[in-house]
Amino acid sequence: MSKDIRIKRGLSLQLEGEAEKELVKAPRSKTYAIKPPDFHAVVPKMVVKEGAKLLAGDEIFFSKYTEEVRFTSPVSGTLKEIKRGDKRRVMEVIIEADPEDGYKEFGKLDASSTDAEAIKARILESGCGAFINQRPYDIVADPKDTPKAIFISAVSTAPLAPDWGFILKDKVASFQEGINALKKLTPGKVHLSVDKSSAQYLSDIKGVELHHVSGPHPAGNVGVQIHKINPINQGERVWTVNPENVSVIGDLFLTGRYLAKRTIALTGSEAKDRKYYDTLIGASAADLIGQVPDDIRIISGNVLTGTKLSNNQYIGFFDNALTLIPEGNNYRMFGWLPFTYNNIHSNSKTSLSWMFPNKKFKPTTNLNGEERALVVTGEMEEVLPMDLFPMQLIKACMAGDIEKMENLGIYEVAPEDFAAVEYVNTSKIEIQEVIRLGLDLMITEVG
C-alpha cells in the first residue's frame, strides 16, 4: 500500500522548451568520456594508459580512498586521451569507440536467489557501484557501509526535467531486477517515489515501499523525500540511485554485461528536435545538438542544477537532460524599476508575470542583479519544504561552523535541495556552492 507525501512549499517554474515524448536513436559518438569531477570526493587512480584497448565494462580507474569503487568503460574502443587539469588532476578520460561494442562478460545472476555479498561484489566489479550515492554528503557510496534504507525517486519536478515514466516504460523487467538486487544491500526498505500521473507499471513494482509524491519543486528531490520518510541522523547512511541506473544494474544481472544505457531529454527554448534520445553514458553533446553559437548556453542537466558545457564536451555521468537556453549577456535599461519587464518571471512579484501562473517563460542566464548581502526576507522558507532554517544553515556553512551546521541539519541536505532557494534569493549568492563547500568541510572534519 502506498503512502502519500504532499508538499506545499516550493516553486513550479513553467519554462518553454519541454521535450516531446518520442524516443529517437541518437547517432553513435566517435568518442565517449568519463569525467572524474562528476564523482564528488573521488580521487581517481588510473589502471590503464593511453592507447589501451577496452571492452565495455573494463576498468578504467578506481577511487584512491575507496578502492572497491571502480569506474568502467561505457563502450569498447581505444583509450584515446587522459585530459588533466591543475596538479595533474584527471578531468576527462576519452575513449575512441569501436563501430560496434564488445562486452566484458560478468555472467548472469538471479538477484532474487543470490546473497548480498555476491550482489555487492558484482555491482562493484562491473562499475555499477558508481551509480550509488550516499546521504549525508551526496557522494559516491562507500561499499563498506550498510545503509539503513535505499531511496529512488521517479518523480520529476525540476523545470524541463525528463519524465521517468516515459524513460522507463521499455525497461520494466530490468528495473524490477535492479530493485531485487538493491533490496539485498540494506536491512531496511527500498523506497520508490512516484507521482500520481506516473504510469501504472511503476506502482506495480514489487519489493519496494511505494510513495505517491505531489507538490511543487523540489518535491521530486530524493533529499526532500528522505526528510519526509526517514530522516538521517548523525552516523546513519542512506543510499540513493537514479531510476535509469537501477535498470542498468538490472541489465547487469539479466545479461551479465554492463550496458551503459542513457536516455537524454533534449530541452530548452533554443533546442531543435526536442525529443528523448537513446544513447550511452558519456556521449558527446555535439552528436545531439551539433555546433551551437556562443549566444546559447549548453547545460548538462536542468537549468537549476546543471553544468555548463562548451561545444564538443560530454554529457555528465548522472545527467538525463541536455538543455539549451539563451545567454543573458544583455543589460536592461532601468532594469531595477519594477513592472517594466513583465516577460521575466519574478517570484518576488516585481513584474506582472505573477498574474499569469500558467504562462511558460523563456529563461536566460541573466541573474537580473549582482551579489549583495543576505537579508531576512522569508523567501527561502517559502520554497524549501524541509523543517530547516535555510538562511542560518547557509551562514553556518559560510562561517565553517561545524557545530551549528550539525544542529541546523547539514546531514539531510544536498546542493540540489537549495536550487530553488538559490533561484529566488535576492542576494544572488551561489548558495548551492556554499552548501557543497559546507558538506566538504564536514567530510574533512567529521567523516
Side-chain angles (χ1 to χ4, degrees), residues 324-399:
L324 274 65
I325 61 174
E327 286 284 1
N329 295 329
N330 58 311
Y331 292 90
R332 294 182 283 118
M333 181 174 287
F334 303 116
W336 45 271
L337 275 176
F339 311 115
T340 51
Y341 291 90
N342 296 316
N343 60 336
I344 296 175
H345 177 263
S346 172
N347 194 59
S348 54
K349 298 181 180 178
T350 55
S351 82
L352 297 177
S353 62
W354 67 273
M355 299 176 70
F356 307 96
N358 295 321
K359 179 183 176 182
K360 292 189 175 181
F361 294 91
K362 183 177 178 178
T364 71
T365 61
N366 203 329
L367 292 177
N368 299 309
E370 60 186 5
E371 189 172 311
R372 63 202 74 155
L374 277 170
V375 292
V376 178
T377 61
E379 60 196 1
M380 294 184 182
E381 289 79 2
E382 291 179 0
V383 297
L384 184 66
M386 303 170 84
D387 295 329
L388 303 173
F389 296 106
M391 179 171 286
Q392 288 83 347
L393 178 56
I394 292 164
K395 288 184 175 179
C397 290
M398 295 171 81

Side-chain angles (χ1 to χ4, degrees), residues 98-387:
D98 291 337
E100 290 187 6
D101 282 326
Y103 295 92
K104 181 176 181 178
E105 297 292 343
F106 295 98
K108 298 179 183 179
L109 272 182
D110 180 359
S112 299
S113 59
T114 305
D115 64 70
E117 287 304 313
I119 285 176
K120 185 182 288 188
R122 178 59 54 85
I123 287 174
L124 291 172
E125 70 174 333
S126 67
C128 288
F131 293 140
I132 303 174
N133 273 14
Q134 77 162 44
R135 299 290 178 95
Y137 306 141
D138 194 27
I139 56 176
V140 175
D142 185 339
K144 291 189 282 294
D145 291 333
T146 301
K148 70 170 184 175
I150 296 176
F151 287 80
I152 302 159
S153 174
V155 183
S156 306
T157 56
L160 303 177
D163 184 327
W164 291 116
F166 179 76
I167 289 176
L168 296 173
K169 67 182 176 64
D170 297 323
K171 304 175 180 178
V172 180
S174 56
F175 187 75
Q176 179 65 68
E177 188 68 2
I179 294 287
N180 295 342
L182 292 172
K183 198 173 186 320
K184 295 288 184 73
L185 304 183
T186 174
K189 296 176 179 176
V190 175
H191 297 272
L192 173 63
S193 298
V194 301
D195 60 30
K196 290 187 176 178
S197 62
S198 294
Q200 180 60 38
Y201 69 81
L202 284 173
S203 299
D204 294 336
I205 295 295
K206 296 180 174 58
V208 297
E209 181 92 353
L210 191 68
H211 305 273
H212 281 115
V213 177
S214 61
H217 187 64
N221 282 13
V222 71
V224 173
Q225 294 159 17
I226 293 169
H227 181 79
K228 298 293 181 184
I229 298 167
N230 193 355
I232 306 169
N233 297 311
Q234 186 179 16
E236 293 179 335
R237 297 284 187 270
V238 301
W239 288 355
T240 66
V241 192
N242 166 310
E244 190 172 32
N245 293 339
V246 175
S247 75
V248 176
I249 293 172
D251 279 331
L252 172 68
F253 287 87
L254 291 174
T255 68
R257 293 175 172 179
Y258 174 50
L259 305 177
K261 298 175 183 174
R262 183 60 82 233
T263 307
I264 301 293
L266 181 56
T267 66
S269 60
E270 304 308 298
K272 300 173 183 175
D273 297 325
R274 294 192 291 261
K275 296 173 183 173
Y276 287 75
Y277 290 85
D278 183 14
T279 183
L280 296 173
I281 289 172
S284 168
D287 290 318
L288 269 61
I289 57 178
Q291 294 297 304
V292 174
D294 292 341
D295 59 352
I296 294 177
R297 174 74 62 93
I298 309 169
I299 301 169
S300 181
N302 69 61
V303 293
L304 294 181
T305 61
T307 306
K308 179 184 177 183
L309 297 182
S310 58
N311 282 316
N312 302 320
Q313 285 194 309
Y314 299 88
I315 301 169
F317 186 86
F318 294 101
D319 293 328
N320 284 88
L322 195 61
T323 309
L324 274 65
I325 61 174
E327 286 284 1
N329 295 329
N330 58 311
Y331 292 90
R332 294 182 283 118
M333 181 174 287
F334 303 116
W336 45 271
L337 275 176
F339 311 115
T340 51
Y341 291 90
N342 296 316
N343 60 336
I344 296 175
H345 177 263
S346 172
N347 194 59
S348 54
K349 298 181 180 178
T350 55
S351 82
L352 297 177
S353 62
W354 67 273
M355 299 176 70
F356 307 96
N358 295 321
K359 179 183 176 182
K360 292 189 175 181
F361 294 91
K362 183 177 178 178
T364 71
T365 61
N366 203 329
L367 292 177
N368 299 309
E370 60 186 5
E371 189 172 311
R372 63 202 74 155
L374 277 170
V375 292
V376 178
T377 61
E379 60 196 1
M380 294 184 182
E381 289 79 2
E382 291 179 0
V383 297
L384 184 66
M386 303 170 84
D387 295 329

